[in-house]
Amino acid sequence: MKFLRGKKEAVDSGEFGYLDAEAVYFDSACQSLRPQPVIDALTEYYKEFNSCGERVKYAWGRKVDERIEDTRGAVLKLLKMSPRKYFVSFTLNTTYGVNLVLSQLKEGVVKKVVTTDIEHNSVGLATIAFAKKHGVEREVIARKDDGSIDLKKANFKDALVVVNAVSNIDGRVLKNLHEVVDRVRKGGGVVVLDAAQAMAHSRGVIERCEADVVVFSAHKMYAPSLGVMVVGRGLLEKIDLGFVGGGMVDDAWEDDYKLSYTNDEHIHTVFEPGLQAFGEIVALGEAIRWLKKTEKTQVVELKRLSKKLFDFLKSKKGVVLVNKEANAVISFYHKKIDGHLLAAGMSSKGIMARSGYFCCHYYLDHVKKYPPLVRFSLGYHTREEDVDRAIEALEKVLN
Amino acid sequence: MVCIVAFFILCITSIFSARFRRPLKKAWACLTKKVRLQKCETGFKDDVKNSVLARVVMRRPELVKPLGVAMEVLAVVLVIVMVWSVAEVVKGGAAMIAFGTCDVRQPSACVLGTGEACNIDGERLGFIESIRTGQPHRFVTNWFSEFGEAFSGIPVRFRNWDAMDYIPENASFYRDFDWGLPIALKILDPGCGVCRDSYLNKLDSGFMDRYNLAFLAYPIPGVQGEEWAFRNSYLIVRYIEAVRSVELEWFLELEEGEGEILRTELATDWMIIDRLFTGFDEMGRQYQDAFNASYSAEEAEERLQSWLREWGFSEEELEQIVDRSRSGEVRATIETNMNVVDNVIRTKMIPTMIFDGRRWHGLYS
């Protein structure tokens, strides 16, 4: 490993100084890189209090409990959501979180399921499976170019609405998110919000939202691999729990059990069967602290770099941009060069960008009939010279 | 096609480096789908192509398309060549088992052959030649014909061989027939050096004392415009068959009670072979070498006639033998014998011997 970014530059590049300067990473939409403090927090857990939380009386365990409770609180605070209305459960990732909710919704709670055309497979497949299992209609709404949903055409009565707040294709934001949530709830429905792409750089759109569940992946917001569910307490009435086991019971008998979530202090256990990823949860707390601090100074730079790359791509004749505007996620294809080949070519120059359909096959392949795309997704680790290297590498190719 | 080629290449590279074993698994998954005529959805083909084209696209993007097409074409060609190679190996293996040579048509072209034999080569129409002459179909049909010949030869090779089934009717045995000894047949070409070595080895080992040995004279046909592989072989064989034919008539004409007049220690056909393989002319040249390399047809014929005179044949008898050697009857006999060798015994190498229930190729040692 070459530490060419150097210590001074490490500070300048937001605690990513450990990275090899030759490696240019543009796949933050899949998994963001971890800043040093987050890595340190995870390491600290493993080195200093590596133990189970919950139901332990020894010192390390109590420390784990404290740090995990801190993280739960930090998540709610980050989203400006009230602990009186919401609680936080941890899981594997966004897909897992969405499925935990959809697979345990009571029969008859909703009469239809609604989603949109630009959803990730985590939502697309889960809603198809839900519709089949419950024998209900599934409606796919086309999102507008600005990311919003046309509420005049939408019918959310008694509907389970599962949508993303931000698209992983082009960073489109569900601009009328709050109106959508309001309409669904007034219509007696349930809103599950996929916030995976929103948390790192577009979090504002989901702050204070009243969705029944907000699900996201910590690993897309500079934290270790972890799924997070922010669950409205009212949702529990609509859940028929079937995914149960260790870590979520107060007592068990021969033929029955008493689940802990009925005790408000342990309500989060409703979606936390089995041992949790304590170290990752602890490090998520640190990631939230780091993110709040970093975005104050780096968000403008991130937008500037994104625009620079967007403008470069827009200037190239053979390039067709999926994005209508610049943001940290930019997808495009070239009229003559295969996207996978382009990604492989860039990789030969040390530039790592994603290619394909980014788990959005329905929209990109079947609706838009695009060839495999290339996606640049920037993060707070991205430096000007990273963008310059990408531009330099592509300058000749895309002409 | 790309994944098929990649699979075979990775099979080899994986022997030397573990890092190729993971892609080998992918290639295998792809290959198994292909052979079941299913679509390969592993993306392996694109991975392979991209690994080659990735650097090209960054430097000379305009070359990506033609190179991609070239890779596909190359893959098709390589697959055809590989399939052909495998088929050739199978064919060669079958031929090796059946005939002791991996090349059915031209045994001398096989590097795996014994080497100690005179090969019965046939004419082969090469691929380029077949295209040039506008008959590529002949190249294909010949190939399949050789394939069939190789496989059909395997059961023939392993059947129980009885020399009596193939000994020409007028052939004589090296020694007086002994009912207590097994019978052996040697197929030889008078011009073939290995036949001479084989004969000498048999003399040394006392083979003729343990077997009733007869021979079938087979002049190996020539290739590339030559009528015969050894220039005077056919002439010698004609004399051998003429002697056999004439002596048989004389024997049948004998009155009851008249004894056969044996002019020489061996039967005359064996005398010719023995002199050819063991004798030297007045210039110290071994006779077989001289017949092959020095004597013209006239000189060869004179030499054969001189031997017959030496062995007590009168001028009248000699004239009868010479006439018979030029007769259609002798030519027909030779043709019949050659047909037995080519199509019944189906050997590709001379000498071939049949004894102890088996067919043996090459030098007797």
Side-chain angles (χ1 to χ4, degrees), chain B residues 9 32 41 51 66 79 117 125 132 143 153 178 196 208 217 251-252 254 304 306 312-313 326 329 340 352 356:
Chain B
I9 294 171
T32 51
E41 292 167 330
S51 67
V79 166
L125 182 66
R132 199 179 61 76
W143 193 92
D178 184 338
R196 182 181 67 198
M208 282 77 151
F251 176 74
L252 294 174
L254 287 175
L304 288 168
S306 72
F313 286 88
R326 293 169 181 164
E329 178 196 331
V340 168
T352 288
D356 290 349

Side-chain angles (χ1 to χ4, degrees), chain A residues 115-393:
Chain A
T115 188
T116 75
D117 54 354
I118 59 169
E119 300 301 330
H120 189 279
N121 285 337
S122 61
V123 169
L125 270 62
T127 52
I128 291 169
F130 181 89
K132 285 181 179 172
K133 179 182 170 187
H134 291 264
V136 296
E137 175 198 353
R138 178 174 177 269
E139 186 182 349
V140 180
I141 297 173
R143 293 271 277 268
K144 292 182 178 175
D145 285 348
D146 69 357
S148 63
I149 292 174
D150 186 352
L151 291 173
K152 288 176 192 162
K153 293 179 186 169
N155 175 11
F156 293 140
K157 184 163 173 49
D158 295 325
L160 165 64
V161 179
V162 190
V163 290
N164 66 50
V166 175
S167 164
N168 72 316
I169 300 167
D170 53 9
R172 242 182 286 182
V173 175
L174 180 53
K175 287 182 176 161
N176 57 347
L177 168 65
H178 290 274
E179 289 88 337
V180 169
V181 171
D182 191 46
R183 282 277 296 272
V184 176
R185 291 177 65 90
K186 279 180 180 165
V190 174
V191 187
V192 177
L193 195 62
D194 165 11
Q197 296 298 327
M199 291 303 292
H201 310 127
S202 306
R203 205 172 52 255
V205 69
I206 48 171
E207 286 175 359
R208 295 192 178 87
C209 93
E210 300 275 327
D212 292 274
V213 188
V214 177
V215 187
F216 59 90
S217 297
H219 45 266
K220 297 182 199 294
M221 53 174 290
Y222 305 96
S225 296
L226 188 71
V228 185
M229 302 168 71
V230 182
V231 186
R233 291 169 185 266
L235 180 75
L236 296 188
E237 296 169 11
K238 298 171 182 175
I239 292 292
D240 183 9
L241 217 52
F243 207 105
V244 293
M248 57 193 299
V249 293
D250 278 350
D251 203 353
W253 301 278
E254 185 177 358
D255 297 320
D256 206 357
Y257 49 77
K258 184 188 179 207
L259 293 172
S260 308
Y261 82 92
T262 52
N263 175 350
D264 191 61
E265 196 181 338
H266 299 294
I267 190 167
H268 53 268
T269 61
V270 68
F271 292 120
E272 289 185 352
L275 190 80
Q276 297 301 297
F278 299 118
E280 283 73 6
I281 298 170
V282 168
L284 170 60
E286 184 55 41
I288 291 171
R289 278 189 287 281
W290 179 86
L291 187 59
K292 285 164 81 174
K293 185 186 77 177
T294 303
E295 61 193 6
K296 281 180 189 167
T297 57
Q298 296 293 310
V299 72
V300 175
E301 178 67 357
L302 179 62
K303 283 186 177 175
R304 189 182 71 78
L305 294 177
S306 301
K307 187 163 187 322
K308 185 175 184 179
L309 189 55
F310 178 81
D311 288 344
F312 163 74
L313 292 168
K314 198 175 178 182
S315 71
K316 294 297 159 189
K317 247 191 337 195
V319 169
V320 178
L321 278 158
V322 178
N323 289 54
K324 298 298 176 199
E325 58 187 25
N327 63 52
V329 181
I330 305 168
S331 295
F332 70 96
Y333 67 89
H334 191 274
K335 288 173 183 169
K336 290 182 179 171
I337 304 172
D338 176 70
H340 291 302
L341 178 59
L342 198 52
M346 284 193 285
S347 178
S348 71
K349 300 252 176 197
I351 299 162
M352 292 170 271
R354 199 61 176 266
S355 58
Y357 293 121
F358 326 126
C359 282
C360 296
H361 299 81
Y362 165 66
Y363 179 72
L364 295 175
D365 192 3
H366 303 297
V367 176
K368 303 304 270 186
K369 302 195 184 307
Y370 289 146
L373 305 174
V374 177
R375 182 181 73 185
F376 287 107
S377 50
L378 290 67
Y380 290 131
H381 70 281
T382 308
R383 301 164 305 165
E384 178 120 32
E385 66 184 87
D386 295 342
V387 173
D388 289 343
R389 273 186 61 189
I391 289 173
E392 186 189 346

Side-chain angles (χ1 to χ4, degrees), chain B residues 158-353:
Chain B
F158 290 106
R159 77 179 181 211
N160 187 40
W161 290 84
D162 185 350
M164 274 307 289
D165 295 341
Y166 312 102
I167 293 176
E169 286 179 2
N170 54 2
S172 56
F173 290 95
Y174 185 83
R175 302 260 186 238
D176 290 342
F177 190 84
D178 184 338
W179 289 97
L181 295 178
I183 297 169
L185 171 67
K186 177 175 182 172
I187 298 158
L188 57 81
D189 179 325
C192 170
V194 183
C195 295
R196 182 181 67 198
D197 295 341
S198 202
Y199 179 79
L200 296 175
N201 288 345
K202 285 194 193 73
L203 288 176
D204 286 348
S205 67
F207 183 91
M208 282 77 151
D209 298 328
R210 300 195 306 275
Y211 290 87
N212 292 304
L213 177 64
F215 75 91
L216 185 156
Y218 178 95
I220 299 172
V223 291
Q224 296 177 336
E226 295 293 329
E227 195 175 2
W228 305 103
F230 305 100
R231 65 182 180 192
N232 287 313
S233 279
Y234 186 63
L235 172 71
I236 300 168
V237 173
R238 272 173 33 218
Y239 266 77
I240 288 169
E241 293 301 336
V243 164
R244 284 175 170 176
S245 172
V246 169
E247 283 192 331
L248 183 63
E249 279 179 14
W250 292 343
F251 176 74
L252 294 174
E253 285 166 5
L254 287 175
E255 294 296 326
E256 199 173 336
E258 283 185 303
E260 185 186 359
I261 305 162
L262 191 60
R263 297 176 177 82
T264 53
E265 186 184 349
L266 301 174
T268 311
D269 52 352
W270 276 108
M271 281 297 290
I272 294 172
I273 291 298
D274 188 71
R275 176 63 62 87
L276 189 67
F277 288 170
T278 63
F280 294 83
D281 68 7
E282 56 281 357
M283 297 180 71
R285 295 175 296 201
Q286 207 286 312
Y287 274 124
Q288 187 187 55
D289 296 338
F291 271 85
N292 284 344
S294 305
Y295 297 164
S296 65
E298 292 74 26
E299 289 170 332
E301 196 160 8
E302 279 174 19
R303 182 65 64 173
L304 288 168
Q305 289 171 13
S306 72
W307 289 351
L308 292 173
R309 285 191 195 95
E310 180 190 335
W311 296 331
F313 286 88
S314 66
E315 288 304 318
E316 186 185 347
E317 289 167 336
L318 187 59
E319 190 178 338
Q320 196 176 350
I321 290 170
V322 171
D323 287 347
R324 188 63 57 86
S325 75
R326 293 169 181 164
S327 69
E329 178 196 331
V330 161
R331 289 177 194 278
T333 302
I334 296 170
E335 194 175 324
T336 301
N337 288 346
M338 289 180 73
N339 187 49
V340 168
V341 173
D342 290 336
N343 301 316
V344 182
I345 298 173
R346 296 175 66 178
T347 184
K348 300 290 177 186
M349 287 185 285
I350 299 294
T352 288
M353 293 201 62

Side-chain angles (χ1 to χ4, degrees), chain B residues 18-32:
Chain B
R19 76 189 175 97
F20 294 110
R21 286 170 201 163
R22 194 180 299 274
L24 177 65
K25 282 181 187 170
K26 277 190 177 182
W28 172 248
C30 196
L31 183 70
T32 51

